[in-house]
Amino acid sequence: MKKFSLFLLAIIAAILLAACGNEKSGDSNTKEKVKVKIGVNGSDGVQWPILKEKAAKEGIEIELVEFADYTLPNNALANGDIDLNAFQHMAFLAQYVNESGNDIVPIGSTMFAPLGVYSEKIKDISDIKKGDKIAIPDDPSNQARALRLLEAAKLITLTDDFGLFGDPSKIAENPLNLDIIPMVAQQTPRVLPDVTAAIINNGVAGQAGFSPGEDPIFKESGDNESTYPYVNIIAARAKDKDNKAFKRILELYQEDDIKNAVTEDTKGGSLLVVLSQEELNKTFEKLLK
């Protein structure tokens, strides 16, 4: 009888140990919590509360770290002060990597935010006349993008070797002799009283009180491969590109609830774009030196 009792106790102990083992391996509802710091340039987007709530249900606590300008979030990521950032398109990141040598990579696509031409003086792009002043962003990737937009509007012609980071010196033809004025992106809305038109980043326009889906008199089209370099991304240090929590955050970001919320909030000014990892890698590699 004593031997039987000991045998029974051994069985019970084994069952309890197995149950504990299953709980640690994730078979129970208990999940190990992970905190992820994401650097952003403006944390008031409708996607963030939705994303934070969904991630929290899966044990991922998202902390948004807001930066005042575009020059800081990549340095913070490279230095390990944050885990991810979500504020830039691929062309901007490639320029940073080319100049700094820091190994930061896109792990997924988020939004395409078209550049727009805004004006307080004219209602149509065709109303631009000889000698008019046009303000554009001066950071290399967006400056080139703005000049491409002026070319799409048939106001200027660019040289064949313009590339992704061309500047006003690469203007081949300027029949209206437009005065094109590069400046810090955040200043472009503020100079509208002093220029005929300004090309304004989508996010900057929103912060200035414009509706990027309705207010531009001309804007980019986001429906072809040529716009991939300007698709916004979530970026990570290269060593963390396969981190499971980071990948899960990306998947949650790309779901329909966020897509619909952003489209409605921006009145179509921003569009969720989901690129495959192959498309992402191919585009980014072309942008690197």
Side-chain angles (χ1 to χ4, degrees):
M1 187 69 179
K2 185 176 181 181
K3 288 183 178 181
F4 177 76
S5 297
L6 290 172
F7 177 68
L8 184 60
L9 288 171
I11 292 175
I12 293 171
I15 292 172
L16 290 173
L17 285 171
C20 291
N22 286 337
E23 184 172 336
K24 288 180 180 178
S25 64
D27 291 341
S28 74
N29 292 327
T30 302
K31 294 182 180 180
E32 183 180 352
K33 291 188 177 181
V34 177
K35 185 172 183 177
V36 179
K37 292 183 178 182
I38 303 179
V40 296
N41 185 262
S43 60
D44 55 347
V46 294
Q47 71 271 32
W48 296 120
I50 300 172
L51 182 64
K52 289 173 75 172
E53 182 179 353
K54 293 199 297 181
K57 291 177 180 177
E58 302 196 11
I60 303 171
E61 179 189 348
I62 293 176
E63 178 186 345
L64 298 180
V65 181
E66 190 164 358
F67 293 90
D69 62 51
Y70 292 153
T71 64
L72 301 176
N74 281 327
N75 285 334
L77 180 57
N79 294 335
D81 298 326
I82 56 176
D83 303 301
L84 301 170
N85 66 39
F87 77 101
Q88 65 191 323
H89 51 57
M90 278 191 278
F92 189 93
L93 176 60
Q95 182 72 13
Y96 171 82
V97 171
N98 285 334
E99 292 177 354
S100 70
N102 290 326
D103 202 2
I104 297 175
V105 297
I107 64 169
S109 60
T110 56
M111 301 292 171
F112 175 68
L115 278 184
V117 181
Y118 296 77
S119 178
E120 294 180 352
K121 298 177 180 178
I122 59 174
K123 299 296 184 182
D124 192 277
I125 195 73
S126 63
D127 294 333
I128 290 178
K129 61 185 185 301
K130 190 171 183 178
D132 278 348
K133 295 180 178 181
I134 312 292
I136 65 173
D138 68 355
D139 58 277
S141 58
N142 281 315
Q143 179 173 240
R145 187 179 170 190
L147 292 170
R148 285 285 188 197
L149 184 57
L150 291 177
E151 184 178 51
K154 303 187 184 307
L155 294 172
I156 62 173
T157 302
L158 302 172
T159 61
D160 292 338
D161 63 346
F162 182 79
L164 281 166
F165 302 111
D167 58 35
S169 70
K170 295 288 187 178
I171 296 174
E173 297 178 20
N174 183 1
L176 293 178
N177 195 28
L178 299 176
D179 184 7
I180 297 171
I181 310 167
M183 63 183 61
V184 174
Q186 282 80 2
Q187 295 294 325
T188 49
R190 300 174 188 174
V191 299
L192 279 172
D194 305 314
V195 298
T196 301
I199 296 180
I200 306 176
N201 293 14
N202 190 292
V204 174
Q207 291 171 0
F210 291 107
S211 170
E214 298 178 334
D215 290 339
I217 61 173
F218 192 75
K219 63 181 179 178
E220 287 177 314
S221 170
D223 58 0
N224 59 64
E225 191 174 335
S226 66
T227 65
Y228 286 0
Y230 307 119
V231 171
N232 287 353
I233 47 92
I234 293 178
R237 292 179 292 277
K239 66 178 183 178
D240 296 327
K241 64 184 178 65
D242 296 318
N243 181 289
K244 290 182 179 179
F246 298 172
K247 287 290 188 181
R248 186 56 185 151
I249 288 172
L250 175 68
E251 291 169 355
L252 293 172
Y253 195 114
Q254 293 178 339
E255 291 178 343
D256 284 346
D257 54 351
I258 287 182
K259 173 185 177 181
N260 295 336
V262 170
T263 300
E264 181 180 353
D265 183 62
T266 64
K267 297 181 174 63
S270 291
L271 308 170
L272 181 67
V273 175
V274 180
L275 300 181
S276 69
Q277 194 62 51
E278 181 180 356
E279 290 171 325
L280 205 68
N281 293 343
K282 180 181 177 182
T283 302
F284 191 59
E285 287 169 6
K286 284 183 177 179
L287 296 171
L288 297 176
K289 289 180 180 176

